[in-house]
Amino acid sequence: MTREYLKKAALTPKSDASETHKIVQEILDDIEAGGDAKALEYAAKFDQYEGNVLLTPEEIEAACALVPEKLKADIRFSHDNVRRFAELQKSTVHDVETEISPGFITGQKAIPVDAAGCYVPGGRYSHIASAIMTVTTAKVAGCKHITACSPPRPGVGVAPAIIYAAHICGADKIMAMGGVQGVAAMTFGLFGLPKANILVGPGNQFVAEAKRILFGRVGIDMIAGPTDSLILADGTADAHIVATDLVSQAEHGYNSPVWLVTDDRALAEEVMRLVPACIDDLPEVNRENATAAWRDYAEVILCADREEMAACSDEYAPEHLTVQAEDLDWWLERLTCYGSLFLGEETTVSYGDKAAGTNHVLPTSRAASYTGGLSVHKYMKIVTWQRATREGSKPVAEATARIARLEGMEGHARAADVRLAKYFPDETFDLTANG
């Protein structure tokens, strides 16, 4: 069946990738060669901030004192939910072992990385929740050192609420530095920090490109593009809530796609009628972002039935996926490609973004077709081990020698040969590749 686009996106999210890559590569090369001093040069240029890079305990205490008690309580509530969900995730990974064959034992261990670098955006919006999401999961995973890095505002510094959130969630160091220079400082171990083993957290296109370039020498959570959201709604959905939810995600940025997929034309038309008023009611910066996102990137898609709606959603593989339709269990069972799923009108992407417990660092740009979002598992290495008795190693050695010779890897074969010769000197083995 064909889909009918009642509203089609004029643009697709993209940036001048080649120019961004060139700029970021030059900055990374400069900082790697020039160390702390060069990072500070870029901080002065881009952050327009010349205060302490690593906040002292006294500065952290002073910043925390500026945070209103009601906001502190909300941050603690969110932190507790994220922590408990991360602990649940961690409980799903176990150290295991099995006797794969008599006398030959194999096993798995989950080992957290030593040092995590958590980037917390602080430009257009102060992403308090990003500090909670990234630092908390690293702490639950068992990372020995966690750095929270956030861009300071000129003459002001890092937002006190971000400092408070990073501090109570378990950051060992809080760094007032943004952009590529902040990512570089954590990766290269500047200012006395340990070199990060993994970089996590959202950021602008320069932060994303820095993570892309550095991936390999350091782990990353994912390469993130503009945030995106899709709503699946049938005729039972509340058009005003659907419109509000679409606009709530469009305010992220001018290139943040939002999509409505429905099998009800009347609902689609009513949502399209309501959205402009919802946008107009926002504060100025939010309104400008949402206006551009809705105009250039939003789509409204009419499908024949719920199966076609689900297929459309899986094709788009959205970062955030909301279902406002009947029979939520059917949707939960059927849908397969999304970063995080929000079932029913009683929950919303905003809950997941801020306080519900599930992580808001999620795959964008259809990456949900092959990966999930940030979790406690991202900070953990799943490694394997083996041990054997001499008798247990015997059949494995024979198979190894023959397979290796068939591949032409004589050195590998001989590593098996010598063990057979040592452990079983009175036996003769056929270790040729052909027989």
Side-chain angles (χ1 to χ4, degrees), residues 25-103:
Q25 187 69 67
E26 288 178 355
I27 295 172
L28 290 173
D29 290 344
D30 276 355
I31 294 176
E32 186 166 20
D36 294 7
K38 185 60 68 173
L40 289 171
E41 282 185 32
Y42 279 107
K45 177 180 179 181
F46 295 126
D47 295 332
Q48 298 176 31
Y49 172 79
E50 296 183 354
N52 277 337
V53 172
L54 294 181
L55 301 188
T56 65
E58 292 75 22
E59 288 172 324
I60 292 172
E61 184 178 352
C64 291
L66 297 175
V67 181
E69 288 302 320
K70 184 184 293 186
L71 179 55
K72 285 182 177 179
D74 289 336
I75 291 172
R76 289 193 299 268
F77 173 81
S78 176
H79 168 239
D80 186 58
N81 287 345
V82 173
R83 176 187 56 77
R84 288 188 291 113
F85 190 77
E87 288 172 346
L88 173 65
Q89 289 179 321
K90 189 176 182 182
S91 72
T92 66
V93 179
H94 305 284
D95 292 353
V96 296
E97 63 178 69
T98 185
E99 192 170 26
I100 204 83
S101 62

Side-chain angles (χ1 to χ4, degrees), residues 331-349:
W331 294 97
L332 178 60
E333 180 67 24
R334 169 61 183 82
L335 296 164
T336 61
C337 297
Y338 51 84
S340 193
L341 180 61
F342 302 83
L343 291 163
E345 176 188 298
E346 293 77 17
T347 189
T348 174
V349 175

Side-chain angles (χ1 to χ4, degrees), residues 62-286:
C64 291
L66 297 175
V67 181
E69 288 302 320
K70 184 184 293 186
L71 179 55
K72 285 182 177 179
D74 289 336
I75 291 172
R76 289 193 299 268
F77 173 81
S78 176
H79 168 239
D80 186 58
N81 287 345
V82 173
R83 176 187 56 77
R84 288 188 291 113
F85 190 77
E87 288 172 346
L88 173 65
Q89 289 179 321
K90 189 176 182 182
S91 72
T92 66
V93 179
H94 305 284
D95 292 353
V96 296
E97 63 178 69
T98 185
E99 192 170 26
I100 204 83
S101 62
F104 204 102
I105 301 169
T106 56
Q108 165 186 294
K109 281 179 63 68
I111 304 173
V113 300
D114 283 342
C118 301
Y119 190 88
V120 182
R124 184 188 304 123
Y125 305 120
S126 291
H127 282 257
I128 299 165
S130 287
I132 299 170
M133 302 290 172
T134 57
V135 175
T136 303
T137 45
K139 191 70 174 179
V140 171
C143 297
K144 294 178 182 176
H145 190 281
I146 303 166
T147 299
C149 168
S150 190
R153 294 180 177 175
V156 177
V158 177
I162 288 178
I163 294 173
Y164 177 75
H167 178 60
I168 70 160
C169 292
D172 296 288
K173 293 291 183 181
I174 301 174
M175 183 164 61
M177 186 173 282
V180 178
Q181 60 274 20
V183 171
M186 293 189 290
T187 302
F188 302 146
L190 304 184
F191 308 107
L193 295 171
K195 291 182 179 180
N197 303 117
I198 188 169
L199 299 170
V200 302
N204 62 19
Q205 70 267 34
F206 296 100
V207 170
E209 183 60 23
K211 289 167 68 177
R212 184 198 305 271
I213 291 171
L214 292 166
F215 177 57
R217 64 191 294 177
V218 64
I220 63 172
D221 49 358
M222 65 197 73
I223 299 168
T227 190
D228 58 68
S229 299
L230 187 149
I231 296 179
L232 293 164
D234 65 13
T236 68
D238 183 320
H240 181 255
I241 287 180
V242 172
T244 301
D245 284 356
L246 289 168
V247 171
S248 73
Q249 292 303 298
E251 78 171 351
H252 272 286
Y254 73 92
N255 59 350
S256 294
V258 292
W259 306 296
L260 171 61
V261 178
T262 182
D263 59 358
D264 190 282
R265 185 181 296 273
L267 174 76
E269 291 175 347
E270 179 65 5
V271 169
M272 292 171 67
R273 186 187 71 81
L274 292 171
V275 162
C278 292
I279 292 174
D280 288 343
D281 197 40
L282 292 172
E284 182 179 0
V285 172
N286 313 61

Side-chain angles (χ1 to χ4, degrees), residues 280-352:
D280 288 343
D281 197 40
L282 292 172
E284 182 179 0
V285 172
N286 313 61
R287 183 170 65 247
E288 290 175 355
N289 285 328
T291 296
W294 178 255
R295 180 188 65 228
D296 297 332
Y297 296 92
E299 293 185 336
V300 178
I301 305 168
L302 186 63
C303 295
D305 53 37
R306 70 179 186 178
E307 177 57 40
E308 189 176 71
M309 290 166 62
C312 179
S313 176
D314 280 349
E315 181 183 317
Y316 275 58
E319 176 186 11
H320 309 101
L321 176 55
T322 298
V323 178
Q324 295 184 20
E326 291 184 316
D327 196 0
L328 296 179
D329 288 338
W330 182 89
W331 294 97
L332 178 60
E333 180 67 24
R334 169 61 183 82
L335 296 164
T336 61
C337 297
Y338 51 84
S340 193
L341 180 61
F342 302 83
L343 291 163
E345 176 188 298
E346 293 77 17
T347 189
T348 174
V349 175
S350 295
Y351 290 178

